[in-house]
Amino acid sequence: MPRSLLEQNARFVAGEFRTHADYYQHIAVEQHPKVIWIGCADSRVSEDIITGSRPGTMFVHRNIANIVSYNDPGLMAVLEYGLLHLKIKDVIVCGHTRCGGIEAVEKGVDEYCIADWLCMAAGAKERSDRIAAARGMDAVEKLDLLAMENVRSQLGHLNRLGLIRELRRQGAELRIHGWLYRIETGKIDVLIEGETGEPTELLRQYE
Ligand SMILES: [Zn+2]
């Protein structure tokens, strides 16, 4: 497998990179990404491909179940560098359907590192349990709901970070978007509008 990746890289160099040499030479000097992307580590959710973006568009952090954890130094460094140094104004948290992390939150998991990590989705689980019970949802609907509620919950974590609160206090332009990528169709749904911070109808229907 790694060999085939290198072969595909050779095709990238000879094709896309050579065809758009000016662009790649431009971004070789310095990056000016417009978005911080916080997504799931899932192999099927490649942010560049699903949004039709070239390298240089997004500053990226991915982990299992697109979780925002205040004590994750990797994510905190991405946010600090992206917001303060790259001056990025838009942060997207993108969850997805058929997420193994979300399934593990739903079913419970014993493996210690994964279980510890997924504690950060406990709030979303409690909320989706309540809504699903009240509405008599089936297992598939409930997993989709949990994926959506997890995005809502992680946006809540982001909004409470000291760094974000301080930037807002200073009047910085900052929009935080909540999205859901549907693996079955390839479509991205907006759950929370970055401009207003308000949930769209898709999410509001569960309030
Ligand atoms: Zn996932």
mmCIF file of all heavy atoms in Angstrom, residues 39-45 63-66 94-102 183, ligand 1:
data_model
loop_
_atom_site.group_PDB
_atom_site.id
_atom_site.type_symbol
_atom_site.label_atom_id
_atom_site.label_comp_id
_atom_site.label_asym_id
_atom_site.label_seq_id
_atom_site.Cartn_x
_atom_site.Cartn_y
_atom_site.Cartn_z
ATOM 1 N N GLY A 39 -11.927 18.016 12.190
ATOM 2 C CA GLY A 39 -12.725 16.915 11.663
ATOM 3 C C GLY A 39 -12.377 15.598 12.321
ATOM 4 O O GLY A 39 -11.525 15.530 13.216
ATOM 5 N N CYS A 40 -13.046 14.554 11.870
ATOM 6 C CA CYS A 40 -12.794 13.219 12.391
ATOM 7 C C CYS A 40 -11.610 12.591 11.652
ATOM 8 O O CYS A 40 -11.366 12.874 10.477
ATOM 9 C CB CYS A 40 -14.034 12.342 12.222
ATOM 10 S SG CYS A 40 -13.827 10.683 12.944
ATOM 11 N N ALA A 41 -10.893 11.717 12.355
ATOM 12 C CA ALA A 41 -9.747 11.025 11.754
ATOM 13 C C ALA A 41 -10.176 9.964 10.743
ATOM 14 O O ALA A 41 -9.335 9.403 10.028
ATOM 15 C CB ALA A 41 -8.914 10.369 12.854
ATOM 16 N N ASP A 42 -11.450 9.704 10.651
ATOM 17 C CA ASP A 42 -11.986 8.679 9.746
ATOM 18 C C ASP A 42 -11.411 8.831 8.329
ATOM 19 O O ASP A 42 -11.392 9.934 7.774
ATOM 20 C CB ASP A 42 -13.521 8.825 9.711
ATOM 21 C CG ASP A 42 -14.197 7.643 9.048
ATOM 22 O OD1 ASP A 42 -13.894 7.367 7.865
ATOM 23 O OD2 ASP A 42 -15.033 6.999 9.700
ATOM 24 N N SER A 43 -10.972 7.706 7.761
ATOM 25 C CA SER A 43 -10.305 7.732 6.450
ATOM 26 C C SER A 43 -11.226 8.186 5.327
ATOM 27 O O SER A 43 -10.765 8.558 4.252
ATOM 28 C CB SER A 43 -9.764 6.342 6.125
ATOM 29 O OG SER A 43 -10.837 5.413 6.047
ATOM 30 N N ARG A 44 -12.527 8.168 5.585
ATOM 31 C CA ARG A 44 -13.473 8.509 4.512
ATOM 32 C C ARG A 44 -13.844 9.983 4.484
ATOM 33 O O ARG A 44 -14.610 10.410 3.628
ATOM 34 C CB ARG A 44 -14.744 7.662 4.673
ATOM 35 C CG ARG A 44 -14.475 6.170 4.615
ATOM 36 C CD ARG A 44 -15.638 5.389 5.176
ATOM 37 N NE ARG A 44 -15.830 5.644 6.601
ATOM 38 C CZ ARG A 44 -16.821 5.126 7.333
ATOM 39 N NH1 ARG A 44 -17.711 4.330 6.769
ATOM 40 N NH2 ARG A 44 -16.921 5.404 8.616
ATOM 41 N N VAL A 45 -13.313 10.731 5.417
ATOM 42 C CA VAL A 45 -13.713 12.143 5.506
ATOM 43 C C VAL A 45 -12.484 13.020 5.243
ATOM 44 O O VAL A 45 -11.934 13.652 6.146
ATOM 45 C CB VAL A 45 -14.359 12.455 6.872
ATOM 46 C CG1 VAL A 45 -15.001 13.839 6.853
ATOM 47 C CG2 VAL A 45 -15.424 11.408 7.227
ATOM 48 N N ASN A 63 -9.229 14.251 14.741
ATOM 49 C CA ASN A 63 -9.101 13.245 15.795
ATOM 50 C C ASN A 63 -10.358 12.377 15.783
ATOM 51 O O ASN A 63 -11.301 12.662 15.028
ATOM 52 C CB ASN A 63 -8.883 13.911 17.157
ATOM 53 C CG ASN A 63 -10.038 14.806 17.580
ATOM 54 O OD1 ASN A 63 -11.196 14.421 17.505
ATOM 55 N ND2 ASN A 63 -9.730 16.016 18.031
ATOM 56 N N ILE A 64 -10.383 11.354 16.606
ATOM 57 C CA ILE A 64 -11.552 10.474 16.628
ATOM 58 C C ILE A 64 -12.773 11.260 17.124
ATOM 59 O O ILE A 64 -12.746 11.836 18.210
ATOM 60 C CB ILE A 64 -11.296 9.242 17.519
ATOM 61 C CG1 ILE A 64 -10.235 8.350 16.867
ATOM 62 C CG2 ILE A 64 -12.589 8.451 17.748
ATOM 63 C CD1 ILE A 64 -9.835 7.135 17.687
ATOM 64 N N ALA A 65 -13.792 11.318 16.281
ATOM 65 C CA ALA A 65 -15.089 11.946 16.587
ATOM 66 C C ALA A 65 -15.030 13.472 16.679
ATOM 67 O O ALA A 65 -15.852 14.082 17.347
ATOM 68 C CB ALA A 65 -15.731 11.344 17.836
ATOM 69 N N ASN A 66 -14.049 14.072 16.000
ATOM 70 C CA ASN A 66 -13.952 15.551 15.902
ATOM 71 C C ASN A 66 -14.276 16.247 17.229
ATOM 72 O O ASN A 66 -15.191 17.062 17.317
ATOM 73 C CB ASN A 66 -14.840 16.091 14.758
ATOM 74 C CG ASN A 66 -16.203 15.420 14.650
ATOM 75 O OD1 ASN A 66 -16.343 14.393 13.985
ATOM 76 N ND2 ASN A 66 -17.193 15.966 15.343
ATOM 77 N N CYS A 94 -16.501 19.638 11.731
ATOM 78 C CA CYS A 94 -17.293 18.799 10.823
ATOM 79 C C CYS A 94 -17.371 17.361 11.345
ATOM 80 O O CYS A 94 -16.362 16.653 11.372
ATOM 81 C CB CYS A 94 -16.691 18.817 9.423
ATOM 82 S SG CYS A 94 -17.742 17.976 8.211
ATOM 83 N N GLY A 95 -18.553 16.965 11.769
ATOM 84 C CA GLY A 95 -18.797 15.571 12.123
ATOM 85 C C GLY A 95 -19.253 14.809 10.896
ATOM 86 O O GLY A 95 -19.310 15.356 9.797
ATOM 87 N N HIS A 96 -19.575 13.550 11.075
ATOM 88 C CA HIS A 96 -20.048 12.780 9.922
ATOM 89 C C HIS A 96 -20.913 11.615 10.366
ATOM 90 O O HIS A 96 -20.825 11.165 11.524
ATOM 91 C CB HIS A 96 -18.869 12.291 9.074
ATOM 92 C CG HIS A 96 -18.013 11.256 9.751
ATOM 93 N ND1 HIS A 96 -18.094 9.904 9.474
ATOM 94 C CD2 HIS A 96 -17.054 11.372 10.699
ATOM 95 C CE1 HIS A 96 -17.218 9.255 10.222
ATOM 96 N NE2 HIS A 96 -16.575 10.107 10.972
ATOM 97 N N THR A 97 -21.727 11.135 9.444
ATOM 98 C CA THR A 97 -22.547 9.955 9.720
ATOM 99 C C THR A 97 -21.671 8.703 9.653
ATOM 100 O O THR A 97 -20.554 8.741 9.152
ATOM 101 C CB THR A 97 -23.685 9.842 8.682
ATOM 102 O OG1 THR A 97 -23.098 9.756 7.377
ATOM 103 C CG2 THR A 97 -24.621 11.041 8.738
ATOM 104 N N ARG A 98 -22.185 7.600 10.183
ATOM 105 C CA ARG A 98 -21.461 6.311 10.210
ATOM 106 C C ARG A 98 -20.096 6.438 10.894
ATOM 107 O O ARG A 98 -19.117 5.798 10.482
ATOM 108 C CB ARG A 98 -21.265 5.748 8.793
ATOM 109 C CG ARG A 98 -22.520 5.705 7.946
ATOM 110 C CD ARG A 98 -23.401 4.528 8.300
ATOM 111 N NE ARG A 98 -24.703 4.627 7.675
ATOM 112 C CZ ARG A 98 -25.056 3.980 6.557
ATOM 113 N NH1 ARG A 98 -24.216 3.184 5.960
ATOM 114 N NH2 ARG A 98 -26.256 4.126 6.052
ATOM 115 N N CYS A 99 -20.024 7.291 11.902
ATOM 116 C CA CYS A 99 -18.749 7.551 12.594
ATOM 117 C C CYS A 99 -18.504 6.453 13.625
ATOM 118 O O CYS A 99 -19.331 6.238 14.524
ATOM 119 C CB CYS A 99 -18.801 8.926 13.260
ATOM 120 S SG CYS A 99 -17.309 9.342 14.186
ATOM 121 N N GLY A 100 -17.358 5.782 13.514
ATOM 122 C CA GLY A 100 -17.033 4.719 14.473
ATOM 123 C C GLY A 100 -16.897 5.262 15.883
ATOM 124 O O GLY A 100 -17.261 4.594 16.857
ATOM 125 N N GLY A 101 -16.377 6.476 16.017
ATOM 126 C CA GLY A 101 -16.242 7.093 17.338
ATOM 127 C C GLY A 101 -17.613 7.329 17.960
ATOM 128 O O GLY A 101 -17.817 7.075 19.151
ATOM 129 N N ILE A 102 -18.532 7.797 17.139
ATOM 130 C CA ILE A 102 -19.892 8.060 17.630
ATOM 131 C C ILE A 102 -20.579 6.737 17.998
ATOM 132 O O ILE A 102 -21.283 6.647 19.010
ATOM 133 C CB ILE A 102 -20.692 8.840 16.557
ATOM 134 C CG1 ILE A 102 -20.138 10.263 16.427
ATOM 135 C CG2 ILE A 102 -22.183 8.847 16.863
ATOM 136 C CD1 ILE A 102 -20.238 11.099 17.682
ATOM 137 N N ILE A 183 -21.779 10.470 4.822
ATOM 138 C CA ILE A 183 -20.943 9.496 4.100
ATOM 139 C C ILE A 183 -21.745 8.804 2.994
ATOM 140 O O ILE A 183 -21.194 8.472 1.945
ATOM 141 C CB ILE A 183 -20.391 8.457 5.120
ATOM 142 C CG1 ILE A 183 -19.301 9.137 5.937
ATOM 143 C CG2 ILE A 183 -19.921 7.188 4.427
ATOM 144 C CD1 ILE A 183 -18.188 8.278 6.388
HETATM 145 ZN ZN ZN B 1 -15.703 9.603 12.686
#
